[in-house]
Amino acid sequence: MIVRRLIDLNETDREVKAPNGNWVSRRFLLKGDNVGFSMHDTLIHAGTETYIWYKYHVEAVYCVSGKGEIENLETGEIHNISDGTIYVLNLHERHYLRAYETMRLICVFNPPIVGNEVHTEEGYYDLPKE
Ligand code: 9YT
């Protein structure tokens, strides 16, 4: 059994800040934990817009606080996000994520994030080189 608390992740290598300052991701579970997915508690800072395209990963995102929107660039649709909303990038959709208020998002990735990935300029994480 794995038991972790958010407070234990602060200022460790499991707390990762976006290079552009738009978000901070606290990684509860990573590939090395061997559970088949990674799970992050992510804050998207108020007033930011982030372009994302996870071409190698499926991500499920559950909002537990804050307000924002996601623009699906494959379809042009815009969906409001608030406490109780889940969106799932099951088709690897390119999108903009905008936060009107700081959003707290619980994010699950398959395959799991290793932990040392950096969002490329194209907005995705590379797969680990095995
Ligand atoms: C919602 C989203 O994908 N935000 C970017 C950060 C990512 N969730 C992460 O690495 O935790």
Side-chain angles (χ1 to χ4, degrees):
M1 182 183 294
I2 299 168
V3 177
R4 291 189 178 121
R5 298 188 172 80
L6 193 54
I7 194 167
D8 300 325
L9 309 183
N10 293 341
E11 293 172 27
T12 71
D13 56 6
R14 286 177 179 264
E15 181 185 63
V16 175
K17 294 181 177 142
N20 62 10
N22 284 6
W23 47 261
V24 56
S25 171
R26 291 80 60 92
R27 275 85 185 258
F28 276 107
L29 294 170
L30 290 168
K31 181 175 166 64
D33 293 307
N34 288 315
V35 294
F37 55 89
S38 63
M39 185 168 179
H40 318 174
D41 180 326
T42 301
L43 298 176
I44 310 289
H45 301 306
T48 61
E49 175 183 83
T50 308
Y51 172 75
I52 300 175
W53 178 35
Y54 291 128
K55 57 182 172 180
Y56 302 125
H57 297 84
V58 169
E59 185 191 25
V61 178
Y62 182 62
C63 177
V64 295
S65 69
K67 286 194 173 20
E69 67 177 29
I70 181 169
E71 179 176 352
N72 180 344
L73 293 171
E74 312 297 339
T75 64
E77 290 171 297
I78 295 179
H79 306 276
N80 290 322
I81 302 170
S82 61
D83 178 14
T85 306
I86 190 171
Y87 66 85
V88 184
L89 302 164
N90 55 314
L91 300 177
H92 308 278
E93 293 92 335
R94 294 172 301 126
H95 60 282
Y96 278 114
L97 188 58
R98 303 186 184 100
Y100 305 135
E101 300 170 4
T102 293
M103 291 193 288
R104 186 171 182 196
L105 305 177
I106 309 305
C107 308
V108 174
F109 281 82
N110 181 23
I113 296 298
V114 173
N116 58 3
E117 296 90 344
V118 179
H119 253 218
T120 64
E121 284 187 6
E122 281 187 89
Y124 63 88
Y125 289 132
D126 265 323
L127 288 174
K129 296 175 180 55
E130 310 265 351

